[in-house]
Amino acid sequence: MPKTLKKIAVLTSGGDSPGMNAAIRSVVRTCAYHSIDCIGVYRGYEGLIEGDFKEMNARSVRGIINKGGTILKSARSKEFRTKEGRQKAYDSLVKANVDGLVVIGGDGSFTGALIFNQEFGFPVMGIPGTIDNDIVGTTHTLGFDTALNTVVDAIDKIRDTASSHNRLFFVEVMGRDVGHIALNAGIAGGAEEILIPEENLGLERLVESLNRSRKSGKSSSIVIVAEGDKIGKNIFQLKDYVDENMEGYDVRVSVLGHMQRGGAPSCFDRVLASRMGVKAVESLLEGKTNFMVGLLNSKMELTPLDNAIKGKTKINLELLRVSDIMST
Amino acid sequence: MPKTLKKIAVLTSGGDSPGMNAAIRSVVRTCAYHSIDCIGVYRGYEGLIEGDFKEMNARSVRGIINKGGTILKSARSKEFRTKEGRQKAYDSLVKANVDGLVVIGGDGSFTGALIFNQEFGFPVMGIPGTIDNDIVGTTHTLGFDTALNTVVDAIDKIRDTASSHNRLFFVEVMGRDVGHIALNAGIAGGAEEILIPEENLGLERLVESLNRSRKSGKSSSIVIVAEGDKIGKNIFQLKDYVDENMEGYDVRVSVLGHMQRGGAPSCFDRVLASRMGVKAVESLLEGKTNFMVGLLNSKMELTPLDNAIKGKTKINLELLRVSDIMST
Amino acid sequence: MPKTLKKIAVLTSGGDSPGMNAAIRSVVRTCAYHSIDCIGVYRGYEGLIEGDFKEMNARSVRGIINKGGTILKSARSKEFRTKEGRQKAYDSLVKANVDGLVVIGGDGSFTGALIFNQEFGFPVMGIPGTIDNDIVGTTHTLGFDTALNTVVDAIDKIRDTASSHNRLFFVEVMGRDVGHIALNAGIAGGAEEILIPEENLGLERLVESLNRSRKSGKSSSIVIVAEGDKIGKNIFQLKDYVDENMEGYDVRVSVLGHMQRGGAPSCFDRVLASRMGVKAVESLLEGKTNFMVGLLNSKMELTPLDNAIKGKTKINLELLRVSDIMST
Amino acid sequence: MPKTLKKIAVLTSGGDSPGMNAAIRSVVRTCAYHSIDCIGVYRGYEGLIEGDFKEMNARSVRGIINKGGTILKSARSKEFRTKEGRQKAYDSLVKANVDGLVVIGGDGSFTGALIFNQEFGFPVMGIPGTIDNDIVGTTHTLGFDTALNTVVDAIDKIRDTASSHNRLFFVEVMGRDVGHIALNAGIAGGAEEILIPEENLGLERLVESLNRSRKSGKSSSIVIVAEGDKIGKNIFQLKDYVDENMEGYDVRVSVLGHMQRGGAPSCFDRVLASRMGVKAVESLLEGKTNFMVGLLNSKMELTPLDNAIKGKTKINLELLRVSDIMST
């Protein structure tokens, strides 16, 4: 492990999320603050393999803190999954005199970083960037808060039209394995039901619940459905089921889609990104490697990468209960 | 035709659009200003038939100018399409001493109003409320401007993720018969192509154009597709075609859906709604009937309802040309 | 202390903040869930004294989760500071058979609640609602997150014009005693300097720092100033000082003002409000009194009211450091 | 006048406004479409004098359509007001082989362009970019629509807190000579009174009107004040007057300030900018000079620059009346 780093590389990998640019900016400026060189790597591990690098200084990252997406672009790399690919990446880094790497991405990206370190002893540090909030070791991943606001804003709009027409809306939000977005945005959007991968409500109970809600005088309803919900039907099949089994509702479907990944990051995500970038660079400078920076109990903390990639964060059971009570 | 009206009813009908509440407010307050009574009719023609009315005064409409949807709710009424239904509606109005009716809605709603007037001589006035902007006699329908901003905001977000990943996005926007939303939002969103019902680009030319755009160095592209586009394929078939016929693009689809109907109305729509409400009530008070109020050459003008319901407004050819030039 | 409560009252007091309506909704629905009656008190302690109450059920709070301000209105009450005033308030509550009170407000409101309990043994529970985030016992007060997003959005807009004209902007944000808004929004807005009540940068060092920033190539700068900043000059005097002591800058001032208190609450604040309302009601039902609910380590926790009103939360020193590094 | 232009320069001048970047993009892409070279001039006429130019092609303007401010920056130039300054500017243009100039700005900028043409016969074309909407020859200047939405959003937020506390707010908006922003945003924000430069309501009548509004049951009020309102007092003096002459109101002041100039342009402004850029370049290519492009009756039209700089557009009297009726 190098005593003193002289040049750090930063890349974004996997699905993009709002706040990635703010994190890149923070990594670059923290390097500048410590008089360390910094390079940006384009297109994640692909660019690492190809040596697609760019020197970055404090000015290079001016005006990006409020931009969605990632100026370094992101990609999934098949080649990096091979030993040969990783060897090329290592060679590129050595050739460019880089001696530390910050990876902004999700658990797939961290797995790659960990293997890379194990093979070449190259110092790596992870920053959790994904809207799904499914990574162990941080209460919030970068982009989660922004995505929630985007989803809630969309639900508010759909509510306008739903309640003007006495309609039932199924609204699909992101979350293939975890229901964090669905659960939080569902509560905030005042959803009548929330279907998540962690819990199988069952179709009969869903219909029962909707009937109960209608009897209580609600003329319109919104059901939030996570992509990976456990009922095991896609959202259009859900609609068909309800169409057949409930009368009097005009059922509509809305799939929010990729819009959820974009947009100017919220204040929360910009501050989080700024803190994470500082912590990641300074941890590398302290000689640490194979950690992910995260927010735990309001503080920046390190979690070993091999813990971060094990499993997904659990749904907060208190929130499930709050959701039930609110849809009384 | 009554010389002096004493009580005016207002209803919203058809698909809701942002600005309908602002128009209701304006109708109610203009009545108050002229010391005329005003009642709100719930659920469009359905409520007219059932006599589902509510007395409204200046205070009833406080705090609604910035709310999406319609506090009077909207519905489509089969019964109003029958002579019997319309007779009931007439009876309800007479019983409530109403002697004038303002209908906020689209061309279907206006057709109903016109027949109603022809059968019973009841004074009616239309306010064009629909996000589609497809009604002859006004350069802007209520809600069009707000919907455009909603769509453009979504495209901006999708662009963030598209350009981070070198992706091609097909984004479907509302507009079954007309491409106004697609064309305006497409230009404003910097779309590479815009597919509208009025024009058949053809699949080969679409692929050609996308290839050209990519050769010019664009690594991501957004194609806006109106629901009723002429290529005659739905947006998922479009994706499949491009997947098969173009290499190297990661193609995604996003259907913006009902979100486009909701949200706080823009300043433009609130001012337009306020003007239209005044004009509608004052025109009724002047003894006019069977007109729609509209914005023409920046002024409030009346168009006979039977003109307003004939055909759809044409696409602005200048905008088509601007779109072509911008995607150079 | 009553074993079983039968009727709970809820009021909002002090400066309003986004999320108060979501908290009212949660209190009301949690009461409904537990089959407890609930009444809303208008205009804070004023309404408590006057018995200005309204029965509330699950339907009364429909459609308010996304509304800024407070439907119960808020006020400051001089009379409640007197023994006589509090006696009247107690009589009103007893007369209405209320046996528990939820107070949504800041530390002044909590002090009142605590005295009220000490005098009459009336069960009270606090929910921290203020944008200032200055209350001990919770990492986030209701409305803080929303206010931050509002401020950052304004800074983004000011940045557009600042950088088009090479201008220096002083932007004043709320925070008379604490710099939480200034510090977080300043980091997120990419501010060059942040002046807060907790720290006295000094005018000379401010000018030095701005000069340094300009030499590094920045042609425009934004300085965030908390209302109560320690330099002890108001923002217009700051401008005058810089006008006199720096050349070449076109200095402008923007005071964001009350806009910061309004707007639809963020997802974060809506979820927080929902959780806090549940916790407040259920804590009262468990026989607890004189606590404030708060968010600590991501969980709902109770803090004795007399702790909550002692002092203000400290500024996060890590954030100060991050701010320094980011403005490198 | 040159028969065929080969190279066009574009600059932004005066106060910046949202949509300027979209207009630059349109000018550059229209040049590319017609195979004409295009250069951007930095800092308005200052950069013209100094020859601070940059070659621009379709790629240079990628990703700017949704950005506020101006990437070319803007400035006011004293030197361009002298014959010597304009001579230098002409020399710079000739040296760079530029044979046409598009000026995006307000009437001051157009006056400069007109004198420049008169002295050197250099072809110039104006695009009206200012949020004030005060230029003859177009119903909408670039940025006006966006600024209105920004102002209305701020009023909505202030309304939340005003109505929670029964407060009277004076909100100052931009408009030194004209009340277009105040009048439109006032109507859309549901303001109780609107004070504009074109009309002197008088302090007594203002107080009368506010008293009337309160008697009608309104517990909070918002008065929109244009910077240059005719009452001749600044907004803080207005507050003092009302404080002294009305009882029971808690009066607050909010000055919206420079925030109004920034932000992502609305769909309307982006489309308008795109159309104006095409029209400006193609008019130059047709050999025209000394015109401003504008939106008249929904079409792109040319107005001689010397008309455009004569006087300010009049306030729409219909809107004044609508405002009166709405605040019934």
Side-chain angles (χ1 to χ4, degrees):
Chain A
M1 209 182 308
K3 261 282 155 47
T4 320
L5 303 191
K6 292 196 176 138
K7 197 183 218 172
I8 285 176
V10 56
L11 61 80
T12 50
S13 169
D16 63 309
S17 73
M20 281 189 162
N21 280 327
I24 294 167
R25 174 181 180 267
S26 176
V27 167
V28 171
R29 295 217 163 156
T30 307
C31 287
Y33 181 83
H34 289 290
S35 307
I36 302 292
D37 288 335
C38 186
I39 62 161
V41 180
Y42 286 103
R43 291 170 300 116
Y45 292 122
E46 280 292 303
L48 204 61
I49 290 168
E50 299 171 18
D52 192 1
F53 300 160
K54 189 198 167 186
E55 303 277 335
M56 300 187 91
N57 59 34
R59 297 183 69 163
S60 327
V61 290
R62 202 166 278 171
I64 69 168
I65 195 171
N66 60 347
K67 302 290 179 284
T70 157
I71 60 165
L72 292 178
K73 297 185 184 287
S74 185
R76 296 179 203 276
S77 170
K78 279 188 196 165
E79 199 177 352
F80 195 72
R81 298 187 176 203
T82 66
K83 183 74 197 279
E84 294 70 30
R86 292 189 295 270
Q87 180 69 50
K88 284 189 203 165
Y90 180 71
D91 295 344
S92 297
L93 285 168
V94 168
K95 193 175 158 199
N97 296 314
V98 176
D99 41 22
L101 175 66
V102 177
V103 172
I104 307 170
D107 50 7
S109 312
F110 293 163
T111 304
L114 195 57
I115 296 174
F116 187 63
N117 173 274
Q118 285 159 352
E119 288 176 351
F120 302 98
F122 203 90
V124 297
M125 195 61 56
I127 290 179
T130 161
I131 63 169
D132 290 337
N133 205 36
D134 57 351
I135 297 182
V136 173
T138 191
T139 54
H140 291 79
T141 54
L142 266 189
F144 177 54
D145 183 69
T146 304
L148 287 180
N149 283 326
T150 299
V151 171
V152 168
D153 183 58
I155 298 175
D156 283 356
K157 288 189 166 73
I158 291 169
R159 174 80 64 192
D160 285 341
T161 190
S163 59
S164 298
H165 286 280
N166 300 351
R167 278 175 179 159
L168 168 61
F169 266 92
F170 287 105
V171 180
E172 186 185 288
V173 303
M174 287 194 167
R176 217 170 287 274
D177 304 309
V178 287
H180 296 300
I181 291 179
L183 187 51
N184 281 275
I187 290 175
E192 277 69 25
E193 282 296 338
I194 302 170
L195 307 182
I196 55 177
E198 290 88 345
E199 220 202 21
N200 190 344
L201 184 65
L203 283 167
E204 291 80 13
R205 278 184 49 211
L206 173 65
V207 168
E208 261 174 51
S209 159
L210 291 172
N211 276 327
R212 209 167 38 239
S213 150
R214 201 161 42 156
K215 274 177 200 153
S216 85
K218 286 198 185 178
S219 55
S220 66
S221 293
I222 289 182
V223 178
I224 304 300
V225 186
E227 285 171 303
D229 82 288
K230 261 283 164 40
I231 288 184
K233 310 238 173 228
N234 80 29
I235 198 166
F236 294 97
Q237 292 171 315
L238 270 180
K239 171 182 157 47
D240 291 344
Y241 182 87
V242 172
D243 273 341
E244 280 166 33
N245 292 278
M246 289 183 72
E247 262 174 49
Y249 258 128
D250 180 8
V251 188
R252 303 291 167 110
V253 161
S254 188
V255 177
L256 295 188
H258 279 80
M259 192 182 74
Q260 295 168 78
R261 291 199 181 284
S266 66
C267 181
F268 186 98
D269 275 327
R270 298 188 201 182
V271 173
L272 183 61
S274 302
R275 295 170 75 183
M276 285 178 162
V278 170
K279 182 72 175 178
V281 170
E282 298 195 334
S283 298
L284 279 173
L285 294 184
E286 289 164 8
K288 299 201 174 83
T289 183
N290 296 7
F291 288 100
M292 181 193 84
V293 302
L295 185 69
L296 292 175
N297 298 342
S298 306
K299 293 204 195 80
M300 283 294 103
E301 303 284 1
L302 296 181
T303 296
L305 278 180
D306 49 12
N307 286 359
I309 61 182
K310 264 185 219 144
K312 303 283 184 181
T313 49
K314 297 274 185 308
I315 214 76
N316 184 340
L317 294 177
E318 184 215 333
L319 288 188
L320 266 184
R321 195 166 170 269
V322 167
S323 164
D324 278 351
I325 297 176
M326 288 307 106
S327 55
T328 307
Chain B
M1 210 183 307
K3 262 282 156 45
T4 320
L5 303 191
K6 293 196 175 137
K7 197 182 217 172
I8 284 176
V10 57
L11 62 79
T12 49
S13 170
D16 63 307
S17 73
M20 281 189 163
N21 279 327
I24 293 168
R25 173 181 179 268
S26 176
V27 167
V28 171
R29 296 218 162 156
T30 307
C31 287
Y33 181 83
H34 289 291
S35 307
I36 303 291
D37 287 336
C38 185
I39 62 161
V41 180
Y42 285 103
R43 291 170 303 115
Y45 292 122
E46 280 292 302
L48 205 61
I49 290 168
E50 299 171 17
D52 192 0
F53 300 160
K54 189 198 166 185
E55 303 278 334
M56 299 186 92
N57 58 35
R59 296 184 69 164
S60 328
V61 290
R62 203 166 278 171
I64 68 168
I65 195 171
N66 60 347
K67 302 291 179 283
T70 157
I71 60 166
L72 293 178
K73 297 185 185 288
S74 185
R76 295 180 204 276
S77 170
K78 279 189 196 165
E79 199 178 351
F80 195 72
R81 298 189 176 202
T82 67
K83 183 74 198 282
E84 293 70 30
R86 291 189 295 270
Q87 179 69 52
K88 284 189 203 166
Y90 179 70
D91 295 344
S92 296
L93 286 169
V94 168
K95 193 175 158 199
N97 296 315
V98 175
D99 42 22
L101 176 65
V102 176
V103 172
I104 307 171
D107 50 7
S109 313
F110 293 164
T111 304
L114 195 57
I115 296 173
F116 187 63
N117 172 273
Q118 285 159 353
E119 286 175 353
F120 301 98
F122 202 90
V124 297
M125 196 61 55
I127 291 179
T130 162
I131 63 169
D132 290 337
N133 205 37
D134 57 352
I135 297 182
V136 173
T138 190
T139 54
H140 290 78
T141 54
L142 268 189
F144 176 55
D145 184 69
T146 304
L148 287 180
N149 283 326
T150 299
V151 171
V152 168
D153 183 59
I155 298 175
D156 283 356
K157 287 188 167 71
I158 291 170
R159 174 80 64 192
D160 284 342
T161 190
S163 59
S164 297
H165 286 280
N166 300 350
R167 278 176 178 157
L168 167 61
F169 266 92
F170 287 105
V171 179
E172 186 185 287
V173 302
M174 286 194 168
R176 219 171 285 274
D177 305 309
V178 287
H180 296 300
I181 292 179
L183 187 51
N184 281 274
I187 291 174
E192 277 68 26
E193 282 296 339
I194 302 170
L195 307 182
I196 54 176
E198 291 87 345
E199 219 201 22
N200 191 344
L201 184 66
L203 283 167
E204 292 80 13
R205 278 184 47 211
L206 173 64
V207 168
E208 260 174 52
S209 159
L210 291 172
N211 276 327
R212 209 166 40 237
S213 151
R214 199 161 42 157
K215 273 176 201 153
S216 85
K218 287 198 186 177
S219 55
S220 65
S221 292
I222 289 183
V223 177
I224 304 299
V225 186
E227 285 171 302
D229 83 286
K230 262 283 164 40
I231 287 185
K233 309 238 174 229
N234 79 31
I235 197 166
F236 294 98
Q237 293 172 314
L238 270 180
K239 170 182 156 49
D240 291 344
Y241 183 87
V242 172
D243 273 341
E244 281 166 34
N245 291 278
M246 289 184 71
E247 263 174 49
Y249 258 128
D250 179 8
V251 188
R252 302 291 168 110
V253 160
S254 188
V255 177
L256 295 187
H258 278 79
M259 193 182 74
Q260 295 168 79
R261 291 199 180 284
S266 66
C267 181
F268 186 98
D269 276 326
R270 299 189 201 182
V271 173
L272 183 61
S274 303
R275 296 170 74 182
M276 284 178 162
V278 171
K279 182 73 175 177
V281 170
E282 298 194 335
S283 297
L284 279 172
L285 293 185
E286 288 165 8
K288 299 202 174 81
T289 184
N290 297 6
F291 287 100
M292 181 193 83
V293 302
L295 185 71
L296 292 175
N297 297 343
S298 307
K299 294 205 194 79
M300 283 294 103
E301 303 283 3
L302 296 181
T303 296
L305 278 179
D306 48 11
N307 285 1
I309 61 181
K310 262 185 221 145
K312 303 283 185 180
T313 48
K314 297 273 186 308
I315 214 75
N316 183 339
L317 295 178
E318 183 213 334
L319 287 188
L320 266 185
R321 193 164 173 271
V322 166
S323 164
D324 278 352
I325 296 175
M326 288 307 106
S327 54
T328 309
Chain C
M1 208 183 308
K3 266 280 158 48
T4 319
L5 303 190
K6 294 196 174 138
K7 196 182 218 172
I8 284 175
V10 57
L11 62 80
T12 49
S13 169
D16 63 307
S17 74
M20 280 188 163
N21 280 328
I24 294 167
R25 173 181 181 268
S26 175
V27 167
V28 171
R29 297 218 162 154
T30 307
C31 287
Y33 180 83
H34 289 292
S35 307
I36 302 292
D37 288 335
C38 186
I39 61 161
V41 180
Y42 286 102
R43 290 170 304 116
Y45 292 122
E46 280 291 304
L48 204 61
I49 290 169
E50 299 171 17
D52 192 1
F53 299 162
K54 189 197 167 185
E55 303 278 336
M56 299 187 92
N57 59 33
R59 296 184 70 162
S60 327
V61 291
R62 202 166 279 171
I64 68 167
I65 195 171
N66 61 347
K67 301 292 179 283
T70 157
I71 59 165
L72 292 178
K73 298 185 184 287
S74 185
R76 295 180 202 276
S77 170
K78 279 187 196 166
E79 199 178 351
F80 195 73
R81 298 188 176 201
T82 67
K83 182 74 200 278
E84 293 70 32
R86 291 189 295 270
Q87 180 69 52
K88 284 189 205 167
Y90 179 71
D91 295 344
S92 296
L93 286 168
V94 169
K95 194 177 157 197
N97 296 315
V98 175
D99 42 20
L101 176 65
V102 177
V103 172
I104 307 170
D107 50 8
S109 312
F110 293 163
T111 304
L114 195 56
I115 296 173
F116 187 64
N117 173 273
Q118 285 159 352
E119 287 175 352
F120 302 99
F122 202 89
V124 297
M125 197 60 56
I127 290 179
T130 161
I131 63 169
D132 290 338
N133 204 39
D134 57 352
I135 298 182
V136 173
T138 190
T139 54
H140 290 78
T141 54
L142 266 189
F144 176 55
D145 184 68
T146 304
L148 287 179
N149 283 326
T150 299
V151 171
V152 168
D153 183 58
I155 298 175
D156 283 355
K157 287 188 166 71
I158 291 170
R159 173 81 64 194
D160 285 341
T161 189
S163 59
S164 297
H165 286 280
N166 299 350
R167 278 174 180 161
L168 168 60
F169 265 92
F170 287 104
V171 180
E172 187 185 287
V173 303
M174 286 195 169
R176 219 171 284 275
D177 304 309
V178 287
H180 296 298
I181 292 179
L183 187 50
N184 281 274
I187 291 174
E192 277 68 25
E193 282 296 338
I194 302 171
L195 306 182
I196 55 176
E198 291 86 347
E199 218 202 24
N200 191 344
L201 184 66
L203 283 168
E204 292 80 13
R205 278 185 48 212
L206 173 63
V207 168
E208 261 174 51
S209 158
L210 291 172
N211 275 326
R212 209 167 40 237
S213 151
R214 200 161 42 156
K215 273 176 200 153
S216 85
K218 286 198 187 177
S219 55
S220 65
S221 291
I222 288 182
V223 178
I224 304 300
V225 186
E227 284 172 302
D229 82 288
K230 261 286 164 38
I231 287 185
K233 307 232 176 238
N234 80 29
I235 199 167
F236 294 98
Q237 293 171 314
L238 270 180
K239 169 182 158 47
D240 291 345
Y241 183 88
V242 172
D243 273 341
E244 281 165 32
N245 292 276
M246 288 184 72
E247 263 174 48
Y249 257 128
D250 180 9
V251 188
R252 302 291 168 110
V253 161
S254 188
V255 177
L256 295 188
H258 278 79
M259 192 181 76
Q260 294 167 80
R261 291 200 181 285
S266 66
C267 181
F268 186 98
D269 276 326
R270 297 188 201 184
V271 173
L272 183 61
S274 303
R275 296 170 73 182
M276 285 178 163
V278 170
K279 182 71 175 179
V281 170
E282 298 195 335
S283 297
L284 279 173
L285 293 184
E286 289 163 10
K288 298 202 176 83
T289 183
N290 296 8
F291 287 100
M292 182 193 84
V293 303
L295 184 71
L296 292 175
N297 298 341
S298 306
K299 293 204 193 79
M300 283 294 104
E301 302 284 1
L302 296 180
T303 295
L305 277 180
D306 49 11
N307 286 0
I309 63 182
K310 264 185 219 146
K312 303 282 184 179
T313 48
K314 297 275 185 309
I315 213 76
N316 184 339
L317 294 178
E318 183 214 333
L319 288 188
L320 267 185
R321 196 166 169 268
V322 166
S323 164
D324 277 352
I325 296 176
M326 288 306 106
S327 54
T328 307
Chain D
M1 208 183 308
K3 263 283 155 49
T4 317
L5 303 191
K6 293 194 174 140
K7 196 183 218 172
I8 284 176
V10 56
L11 61 80
T12 49
S13 169
D16 62 307
S17 74
M20 281 188 162
N21 279 328
I24 294 167
R25 174 181 180 267
S26 176
V27 167
V28 171
R29 296 218 162 154
T30 308
C31 287
Y33 181 83
H34 289 291
S35 306
I36 303 292
D37 288 335
C38 186
I39 62 160
V41 179
Y42 285 103
R43 291 170 303 115
Y45 292 122
E46 280 292 301
L48 203 61
I49 290 169
E50 299 171 16
D52 192 0
F53 300 161
K54 189 196 167 188
E55 304 278 335
M56 299 187 91
N57 59 34
R59 298 184 68 162
S60 327
V61 290
R62 203 166 278 173
I64 68 167
I65 194 170
N66 61 347
K67 302 291 179 284
T70 157
I71 59 166
L72 292 177
K73 297 183 185 289
S74 185
R76 295 179 202 277
S77 171
K78 279 187 194 166
E79 199 179 352
F80 195 73
R81 299 189 174 201
T82 66
K83 183 75 200 277
E84 293 70 30
R86 292 190 294 270
Q87 179 70 52
K88 284 189 203 166
Y90 179 71
D91 295 344
S92 296
L93 286 168
V94 168
K95 194 176 157 199
N97 297 315
V98 176
D99 41 22
L101 176 66
V102 176
V103 172
I104 307 171
D107 49 8
S109 312
F110 293 163
T111 304
L114 195 57
I115 296 173
F116 187 65
N117 173 273
Q118 285 160 352
E119 287 175 352
F120 302 99
F122 202 89
V124 297
M125 196 61 55
I127 290 179
T130 162
I131 63 169
D132 291 336
N133 205 36
D134 58 351
I135 297 182
V136 174
T138 190
T139 55
H140 290 78
T141 54
L142 266 189
F144 176 56
D145 184 69
T146 304
L148 287 180
N149 283 327
T150 299
V151 171
V152 168
D153 183 59
I155 298 175
D156 283 355
K157 287 188 166 71
I158 291 170
R159 174 81 62 193
D160 284 341
T161 190
S163 58
S164 298
H165 285 281
N166 299 350
R167 277 174 179 159
L168 168 60
F169 265 92
F170 288 104
V171 180
E172 187 185 288
V173 302
M174 286 195 169
R176 218 172 285 275
D177 303 310
V178 287
H180 296 300
I181 291 179
L183 187 51
N184 281 275
I187 291 174
E192 277 69 26
E193 282 297 336
I194 302 170
L195 307 182
I196 55 175
E198 291 86 347
E199 218 201 22
N200 190 344
L201 184 66
L203 283 168
E204 292 80 14
R205 279 184 47 211
L206 173 64
V207 169
E208 260 174 53
S209 158
L210 290 172
N211 275 326
R212 210 169 36 238
S213 151
R214 201 162 40 157
K215 273 177 202 152
S216 85
K218 285 197 186 176
S219 56
S220 66
S221 292
I222 289 182
V223 177
I224 303 300
V225 186
E227 284 171 303
D229 82 289
K230 259 287 164 36
I231 287 185
K233 309 234 174 233
N234 79 30
I235 198 167
F236 293 97
Q237 293 171 315
L238 270 180
K239 170 182 157 48
D240 291 344
Y241 182 88
V242 172
D243 273 341
E244 281 166 31
N245 291 277
M246 289 185 73
E247 263 174 48
Y249 258 129
D250 180 9
V251 189
R252 302 292 168 109
V253 161
S254 189
V255 177
L256 296 188
H258 279 78
M259 193 182 75
Q260 296 167 78
R261 291 199 181 285
S266 66
C267 181
F268 186 98
D269 275 327
R270 297 188 201 182
V271 173
L272 182 61
S274 303
R275 296 170 74 181
M276 284 178 163
V278 171
K279 182 71 174 177
V281 169
E282 299 195 334
S283 297
L284 279 172
L285 293 184
E286 288 164 11
K288 299 204 176 81
T289 183
N290 296 7
F291 287 100
M292 182 193 83
V293 302
L295 185 70
L296 292 174
N297 298 340
S298 307
K299 293 204 194 80
M300 284 293 104
E301 302 284 1
L302 296 181
T303 295
L305 278 180
D306 49 11
N307 286 0
I309 62 181
K310 264 185 219 146
K312 302 284 183 180
T313 48
K314 297 276 186 306
I315 214 76
N316 184 338
L317 294 177
E318 182 214 334
L319 287 188
L320 266 184
R321 194 166 170 269
V322 166
S323 165
D324 278 351
I325 296 175
M326 288 306 106
S327 54
T328 308

